[in-house]
Amino acid sequence: FDLLHQQAGSKLKRHLDQAREKGASVWLTALPLKSLNYLLNKQDFQDSIRLRYGWEINGTPRICACGGKNSAYHALDCKLGGYVSMRHNSVRDTIAFFLRETKCRDVKVEPGMIPVNASNYKRSTITQDDARLDISAVGVYSPFERSFFDIRVTHPNCASNEFKDLTQIYSEQEKAKKDAYEERVVQAEKGSFVPLIFTTSGGMGPLCNAFIKQLVEKLAFYKNERVSVMKNHVRTRLRFAILKSTVIALRGTRGKSRLHETGLDDVSLGLVPNYRMYEMP
């Protein structure tokens, strides 16, 4: 691998760096278990391999429905079609599931926050009354402390990250999340805040890795499993949550269909006709 890395061009070298991150390659050795949604069809597997090494994805439109030039990088970054939100929500729901399995109390998805006075916080802090974080739970780090988590699944090869290494990407995005929410969580909620930064290639930021370690140890204790076995399971579940929601974005439909279909909102259901068709004069 080291020899290949030395001889590779800058683009391939960047993808190899992403592929060698902890947990990024676990999907290649996982058993195809349908019960855990570890299945990929032939096209999805080939697209995943091409995405892994930065190779061109064949059979995709040249122009995206948003009007921009289409590519694998654009498909993962384009918000049209809802695939970016799908990727985020897939990871969010997986983490919430694991928190419930660790017997954490009061696990909430998109919890509301206590209203605050904006003048008491620095300008970068989000102070809107309707602000929400992704997950909250009691008992993650201490028995009665409520911890808040906000998730971001970033594309490390998008235009804004193209000239940044992974360390810089994680550092900047963790800082951005902390600047937006940490002061409010600590001062108003009297809890702890952890930004969970993932990449579409399967990597995790330093704070996210530390949280996963804590999560794995609690799961191993409650499930009476070895830590190494539980760590592999958690990383694999998270990796497939990112992988499947990433691959579907490459070929998924974007924009409105040209065919007009009458929605259920436009249909009057349960009406009783005055006469049957065969009774018509």
Side-chain angles (χ1 to χ4, degrees), residues 7-272:
Q7 297 176 350
S10 58
K11 180 179 178 181
L12 179 57
K13 186 176 294 186
R14 184 176 179 84
H15 281 271
L16 291 175
D17 288 336
Q18 294 164 15
R20 72 195 303 181
E21 286 192 276
K22 288 183 179 180
S25 301
V26 292
W27 66 277
L28 289 168
T29 57
L31 294 175
L33 302 176
K34 186 176 181 179
S35 60
L36 295 177
N37 204 23
Y38 289 176
L39 296 179
L40 293 172
N41 60 36
K42 180 180 179 180
Q43 185 177 74
D44 287 346
F45 182 82
Q46 291 177 345
D47 287 348
S48 299
I49 293 295
R50 290 181 173 277
L51 198 60
R52 175 181 172 88
Y53 296 111
W55 297 337
E56 184 179 353
I57 307 292
N58 298 323
T60 57
R62 293 184 178 181
I63 304 297
C64 178
C66 70
K69 184 179 179 181
N70 197 25
S71 67
Y73 291 174
H74 175 82
L76 299 186
D77 209 33
C78 181
K79 291 181 173 57
L80 190 63
Y83 299 108
V84 173
S85 297
M86 178 190 293
R87 187 164 63 230
H88 169 274
N89 294 346
S90 178
V91 176
R92 179 201 64 193
D93 294 344
T94 302
I95 292 176
F97 165 78
F98 280 130
L99 285 171
R100 295 186 184 100
E101 290 293 300
T102 61
K103 310 301 182 185
C104 287
R105 307 296 182 186
D106 199 23
V107 178
K108 295 180 180 179
V109 172
E110 294 190 355
M113 303 181 72
I114 298 173
V116 296
N117 186 343
S119 62
N120 296 331
Y121 296 86
K122 57 186 180 183
R123 294 181 61 183
S124 62
T125 300
I126 294 176
T127 56
Q128 288 85 348
D129 290 346
D130 59 350
R132 292 178 179 272
L133 291 169
D134 286 320
I135 306 171
S136 70
V138 175
V140 179
Y141 298 104
S142 60
F144 301 106
E145 180 186 54
R146 180 176 296 278
S147 300
F148 291 81
F149 306 91
D150 204 56
I151 296 163
R152 176 176 292 174
V153 186
T154 189
H155 179 26
N157 301 308
C158 67
S160 59
N161 292 330
E162 186 176 2
F163 301 105
K164 301 175 184 177
D165 59 28
L166 290 170
T167 302
Q168 184 180 359
I169 292 172
Y170 290 135
S171 176
E172 288 182 356
Q173 303 218 5
E174 286 180 349
K175 184 179 182 302
K177 288 288 187 185
K178 282 189 170 187
D179 288 345
Y181 294 108
E182 187 172 46
E183 184 182 16
R184 180 171 179 176
V185 169
V186 172
Q187 297 297 332
E189 303 286 345
K190 305 303 180 185
S192 59
F193 173 71
V194 181
L196 303 179
I197 308 300
F198 297 83
T199 62
T200 55
S201 56
M204 304 177 192
L207 295 178
C208 186
N209 270 312
F211 164 72
I212 295 299
K213 181 181 179 181
Q214 174 78 4
L215 184 68
V216 164
E217 290 175 353
K218 293 175 74 70
L219 281 168
F221 174 78
Y222 283 111
K223 301 299 180 182
N224 195 27
E225 273 286 359
R226 288 178 297 168
V227 172
S228 60
V229 173
M230 188 57 69
K231 181 184 294 185
N232 182 69
H233 175 68
V234 171
R235 287 189 180 277
T236 304
R237 287 283 289 269
L238 286 169
R239 184 66 185 99
F240 269 95
I242 295 173
L243 180 66
K244 300 200 78 168
S245 55
T246 297
V247 170
I248 195 174
L250 297 175
R251 300 180 185 274
T253 302
R254 288 181 164 87
K256 297 181 179 179
S257 173
R258 294 183 179 180
L259 297 176
H260 176 72
E261 297 179 356
T262 303
L264 288 179
D265 293 338
D266 300 323
V267 178
S268 297
L269 304 175
L271 295 179
V272 180

